[in-house]
Amino acid sequence: MSSADPAAPGRRTSGSPASGGRAPGSPASGRPASSRPASGRPASGGPAASADHPAPAAAPVLAAHGLHHSFGTTRVLRGVDVTVAAGEVVGLVGPNGSGKTTALRILHRALTPDAGQVRLEGRDLRGFTSRQRARRIAVMAQELTGEVPLSVADVVLLGRVPHAGPFGSTTDADLSIATDALDSAGARHLARREFGRLSGGERQRVLIARALAQQPRVLLMDEPTNHLDIGSQHHVLQIVRERGLATVVVLHDLNLAARYCDRVLLLDGGIVQADGPPREALAPELVSATYGVATERATAEDGTTQFLFRGRPVSRRVS
Ligand SMILES: Nc1ncnc2c1ncn2[C@@H]1O[C@H](COP(=O)(O)OP(=O)(O)OP(=O)(O)O)[C@@H](O)[C@H]1O
């Protein structure tokens, strides 16, 4: 890839704990349209009405079943299923150490599970070459590799590498795609800056642009909003929704998960405690038991869900 500057040209619940409600992976847009905000960011940044988002196809693009994994003697995942369909945004939530990142890493083969299988487009993920995987799955990991002495434009163009021809040269199409990705992520003005000198939030936007430039079918994101200001958090998740990709996103902010995800998977102790529409998977009693904090759920004037955490400890579930 050249260092051309793209800026120049341009468990299942249906809310109940692990009880077998909807099958994991079933389309999640069962979330009532009325529960979605009519619009977003305060006036335009939330998810669009579900009518704007085609219902996810029944067949998942990416499906993991029966994942078990341990690090040494620590059992981290204990029979986890994760599925995501085209156009579906699945939120992976749960307390620190519950296994979210581990599950996400298994979904793109950065980690091989002790047991369980992952299928991409209906085929065993192990049958894909790394290049074939990279053409289909983009990952925005937690780590910010800030020491890389590359410009922002170069970092975003790295997203095009899996699509490059035999000589790896950057085409006009690559530049146009990278520019579009930078625009979408609100980072075009950063194109000529050195990546390693950006702020945490700026880097986050650039890494999102790189993932978009990859033009994947599946987007895996590990806490993509953790360095972003409130407005930017909404902006980024709105972008994610608009792209219509099969997306699995690790989030700590339950208000964001409720607002932007079609389906939420609540992990605790390596077990899926709930997998369903946010209204069900994030029922206050489930949230309280999972996080050990008194939780109330309110509905704001614009119809969005707002969690209130009282800070008062309550007994946690023992997984
Ligand atoms: N490479 C590793 N070697 C040993 N233990 C690990 C490794 N990676 C993760 N763990 C452990 O596995 C458990 C789950 O970690 P994981 O990162 O999946 O949790 P998480 O839900 O993403 O947490 P957080 O919300 O804090 O990011 C933790 O106890 C962690 O210390």
Side-chain angles (χ1 to χ4, degrees):
M1 275 285 161
S2 79
S3 59
D5 180 351
R11 190 175 145 190
R12 30 236 69 145
T13 152
S14 302
S16 52
S19 67
R22 64 190 298 128
S26 55
S29 294
R31 179 174 162 202
S34 59
S35 75
R36 290 175 178 276
S39 62
R41 193 190 159 104
S44 65
S50 56
D52 292 342
H53 297 286
V61 178
L62 188 67
H65 291 295
L67 299 181
H68 286 260
H69 197 71
S70 298
F71 291 109
T73 55
T74 309
R75 295 181 71 192
V76 174
L77 298 181
R78 300 188 280 174
V80 167
D81 294 348
V82 185
T83 60
V84 61
E88 189 180 30
V89 179
V90 175
L92 205 50
V93 307
N96 292 136
S98 56
K100 304 179 297 295
T101 295
T102 303
L104 207 71
R105 292 179 65 205
I106 291 172
L107 289 179
H108 62 101
R109 279 212 90 202
L111 185 67
T112 303
D114 296 339
Q117 62 163 221
V118 183
R119 298 184 81 78
L120 174 61
E121 299 169 350
R123 290 167 49 203
D124 192 322
L125 189 60
R126 293 172 299 183
F128 289 80
T129 64
S130 56
R131 184 175 162 94
Q132 287 170 334
R133 278 201 310 275
R135 286 181 172 200
R136 291 163 174 83
I137 303 178
V139 183
M140 190 187 153
Q142 263 184 28
E143 309 87 53
L144 300 173
T145 48
E147 303 315 311
V148 184
L150 291 174
S151 72
V152 163
D154 286 334
V155 169
V156 176
L157 281 167
L158 286 175
R160 300 304 303 155
V161 168
H163 301 277
F167 301 109
S169 54
T170 301
T171 65
D172 286 346
D174 291 325
L175 290 170
S176 164
I177 290 165
T179 302
D180 175 56
L182 276 165
D183 267 339
S184 286
R188 187 166 173 178
H189 63 290
L190 301 172
R192 292 187 176 84
R193 299 270 307 274
E194 189 178 325
F195 179 73
R197 293 179 188 242
L198 299 180
S199 75
E202 290 168 339
R203 289 186 203 184
Q204 208 93 333
R205 284 174 179 270
V206 173
L207 294 177
I208 289 166
R210 184 183 65 178
L212 297 178
Q214 216 171 313
Q215 297 194 314
R217 287 194 71 192
V218 179
L219 183 56
L220 304 179
M221 309 178 96
D222 201 346
E223 298 183 40
T225 56
N226 64 348
H227 286 279
L228 301 178
D229 62 64
I230 297 166
S232 300
Q233 293 175 8
H234 284 273
H235 179 219
V236 160
L237 291 172
Q238 179 65 21
I239 292 164
V240 167
R241 282 217 64 92
E242 284 167 0
R243 286 283 163 153
L245 304 170
T247 302
V248 181
V249 54
V250 174
L251 289 170
H252 277 297
D253 186 326
L254 302 188
N255 289 322
L256 292 176
R259 184 162 182 160
Y260 291 98
C261 297
D262 296 300
R263 188 153 53 89
V264 170
L265 205 138
L266 178 66
L267 264 184
D268 191 15
I271 295 172
V272 177
Q273 304 293 345
D275 177 358
R279 188 92 205 142
E280 298 172 5
L282 296 177
E285 58 275 19
L286 274 171
V287 173
S288 291
T290 303
Y291 291 90
V293 63
T295 305
E296 289 172 34
R297 185 169 61 185
T299 304
E301 276 179 16
D302 65 353
T304 57
T305 296
Q306 302 292 324
F307 286 94
L308 303 170
F309 302 105
R310 296 297 181 198
R312 199 171 65 244
V314 298
S315 0
R316 279 198 59 187
R317 173 193 305 110
V318 180
S319 295

